[in-house]
């Protein structure tokens, strides 16, 4: 596998995108049956943790551990440093050096190197991936959250950044925020091409959150896109479904919503709790999302912590509530998670997102959205 050309950000990003697609074709949800396995797979594939030959010692001897050990440095480190002497801001050797440090488990040096390079030469996003990986290996969870947050703010449509941050939030026991990040990762991805790592992350913390059915619904939607789950995924789906008595929460009825000509969005009236309003319907928004003013009319009660979500095409801070029932034309579902934000685009009270839509079978051809009972 060749390395991306760090002299061209676009090519580097395209390389990683190709790798993601290849992995998505070859991996199934069995590969992510546990969060630990998922983290290892993601680290190797996405962050370039270890590569064959990177840690090889000079002349077949044992790899050196640093300039003070008296041993020669690994050849990958020596070569990268030599190239950087000729081109101090060269992106290729900068990435090679970060990769080499991580391959040698010299994670603190990888972090320091990324910080030094970005300060001297301007931010190179690809290096931040290496820093994030190194921080996770050092169990510096809050620092890794900060790096992932910076990446999300720069490219909020990248689904990977959300579940990367979610992993670190789980380690910090901030499960509500982690769940929101896993949901946003799912909403931002193409499930048909996904290996399901974000789905498994969400499912595995759903019971601890007291929302086991949200994990079961996520697994069910993933299965609809892939035809089946692994045996481990099936067992987890069955366990969550029983624990949550999820048959009581599936949607009932049907809805058919057409987009207006020239307007590639779905819009409809909906009833959330005690209030009726005008809503966008967006399968790529993770939660049913409403304005604070509408939440007050609907009688919704929010609870901390605040999360970050995308709604109305922007990143927004939100607090979560539960609506006793939501009705969209003739489709309805009980006990639905709702994100409450300060404001949304003019003319709408909210967005009907996945927390409601997952209760149904959904068909979307771009001009018409159809909801049917499962």
């Amino acid at each position: 596998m060749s390395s991306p050309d760090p002299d061209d950000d676009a090519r580097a990003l395209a390389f990683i995108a190709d790798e993601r697609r290849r992995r998505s074709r070859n991996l199934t949800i069995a590969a992510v049956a546990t969060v630990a396995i998922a983290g290892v797979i993601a680290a190797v594939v996405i962050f370039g943790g270890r590569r064959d030959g990177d840690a090889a010692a000079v002349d077949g001897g044992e790899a050196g551990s640093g300039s003070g050990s008296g041993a020669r440095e690994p050849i990958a480190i020596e070569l990268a440093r030599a190239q950087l002497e000729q081109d101090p801001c060269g992106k290729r050797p900068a990435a090679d050096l970060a990769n080499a440090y991580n391959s040698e488990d010299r994670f603190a040096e990888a972090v320091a190197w990324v910080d030094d390079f970005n300060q001297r030469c301007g931010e190179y996003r690809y290096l931040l991936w290496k820093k994030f990986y190194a921080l996770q290996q050092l169990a510096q969870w809050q620092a890794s959250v900060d790096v992932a947050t910076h990446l999300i703010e720069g490219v909020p449509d990248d689904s990977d950044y959300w579940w990367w941050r979610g992993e670190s939030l789980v380690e910090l026991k901030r499960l509500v925020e982690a769940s929101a990040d896993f949901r946003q990762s799912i909403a931002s991805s193409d499930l048909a091409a996904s290996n399901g790592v974000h789905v498994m992350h969400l499912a595995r913390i759903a019971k601890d959150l007291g929302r086991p059915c949200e994990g079961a619904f996520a697994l069910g939607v993933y299965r609809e896109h892939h035809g089946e789950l692994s045996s481990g995924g099936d067992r987890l789906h069955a366990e969550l479904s029983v624990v949550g008595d999820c048959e009581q929460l599936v949607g009932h009825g049907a809805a058919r919503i057409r987009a207006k000509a020239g307007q590639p969005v779905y819009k409809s009236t909906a009833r959330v709790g005690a209030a009726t309003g005008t809503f966008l319907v967006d399968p790529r928004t993770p939660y049913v999302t409403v304005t604070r003013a509408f939440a007050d009319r609907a009688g919704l009660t929010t609870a901390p912590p605040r999360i970050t979500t995308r709604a109305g095409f922007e990143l927004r801070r939100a607090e979560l509530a539960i609506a006793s029932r939501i009705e969209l034309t003739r489709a309805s579902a009980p006990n639905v998670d709702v994100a409450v934000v300060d404001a949304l685009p003019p003319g709408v009270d909210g967005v009907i997102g996945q927390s409601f839509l997952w209760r149904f079978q959904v068909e979307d051809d771009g001009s018409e959205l159809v909801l049917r009972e499962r």
Side-chain angles (χ1 to χ4, degrees), residues 40-364:
V40 172
I41 292 171
V44 173
V45 174
I46 298 175
F47 302 118
R50 296 184 183 275
R51 298 180 299 175
D52 291 343
D54 275 6
V58 177
D59 296 329
E62 186 171 341
S65 61
S67 58
S69 67
R72 291 283 300 275
E73 287 278 26
I75 191 169
I77 292 177
E78 289 192 340
L79 287 174
R81 287 175 174 171
Q83 290 175 319
L84 285 162
E85 287 183 3
Q86 301 299 316
D87 183 7
C89 288
K91 291 181 177 179
R92 176 183 291 279
D96 287 344
L97 185 55
N99 276 328
Y101 282 141
N102 281 340
S103 295
E104 290 294 316
D105 295 345
R106 290 160 61 174
F107 304 119
E109 290 174 83
V111 171
W113 165 244
V114 172
D115 288 344
D116 174 71
F117 182 90
N118 281 348
Q119 183 176 4
R120 289 186 297 104
C121 303
E123 183 177 293
Y124 178 30
R125 186 178 301 114
Y126 182 65
L127 285 185
L128 293 179
W129 305 354
K130 308 302 178 180
K131 179 180 178 179
F132 177 86
Y133 172 73
L135 288 168
Q136 282 201 324
Q137 306 318 298
L138 293 167
Q140 294 184 16
W141 304 116
Q142 184 56 55
S144 66
V145 166
D146 294 342
V147 172
T149 298
H150 180 73
L151 290 168
I152 287 168
E153 290 171 347
V155 189
D157 287 330
D158 192 310
S159 66
D160 287 337
Y161 296 157
W162 293 93
W163 70 258
W164 295 359
R165 186 171 72 175
E167 283 186 331
S168 294
L169 289 168
V170 168
E171 296 294 338
L172 291 169
K173 310 301 181 186
R174 291 159 58 181
L175 298 187
V176 173
E177 295 162 89
S179 174
D181 279 1
F182 296 145
R183 283 173 174 268
Q184 184 61 63
S185 180
I186 296 168
S188 299
S189 68
D190 177 2
L191 277 184
S194 167
N195 64 16
V197 59
H198 39 22
V199 174
M200 285 301 298
H201 277 316
L202 176 62
R204 293 192 66 82
I205 66 171
K207 187 164 70 171
D208 290 337
L209 279 168
R211 304 290 285 166
C213 294
E214 302 311 315
F217 292 141
L219 288 168
V221 170
Y222 184 86
R223 180 168 55 193
E224 289 173 2
H225 283 82
H226 288 263
E228 61 182 2
L229 298 173
S230 67
S231 58
D234 273 329
R235 286 194 298 271
L236 182 56
H237 181 263
E239 175 190 350
L240 294 173
S241 298
V242 170
V243 169
D245 193 15
C246 299
E247 285 296 321
Q248 303 299 315
L249 299 180
V250 297
H252 293 284
R256 185 182 300 269
I257 303 167
R258 293 182 175 87
K260 292 183 178 180
Q263 297 182 11
V265 295
Y266 300 112
K267 198 171 184 179
S268 177
T269 58
R271 184 173 182 83
V272 177
T276 300
T278 300
F279 283 74
L280 301 177
V281 184
D282 182 11
R284 294 180 69 83
T285 296
Y287 293 96
V288 173
T289 306
V290 301
T291 65
R292 193 164 300 279
F294 183 88
D296 290 342
R297 298 201 307 272
L300 301 180
T301 301
T302 62
R306 289 173 68 82
I307 64 162
T308 303
T309 188
R310 289 202 78 192
F313 315 107
E314 292 183 12
L315 287 179
R316 301 179 191 275
R317 296 291 286 167
E319 290 184 343
L320 296 178
I322 297 177
S324 59
R325 180 165 295 276
I326 293 179
E327 300 173 3
L328 178 68
T329 68
R330 292 179 294 168
S332 67
N335 199 26
V336 178
D337 288 335
V338 177
V340 178
V341 299
D342 290 334
L344 286 168
V348 297
D349 297 298
V351 182
I352 299 294
Q354 289 181 343
S355 59
F356 177 81
L357 298 176
W358 280 356
R359 310 294 182 89
F360 299 86
Q361 289 186 340
V362 179
E363 299 174 10
D364 179 9

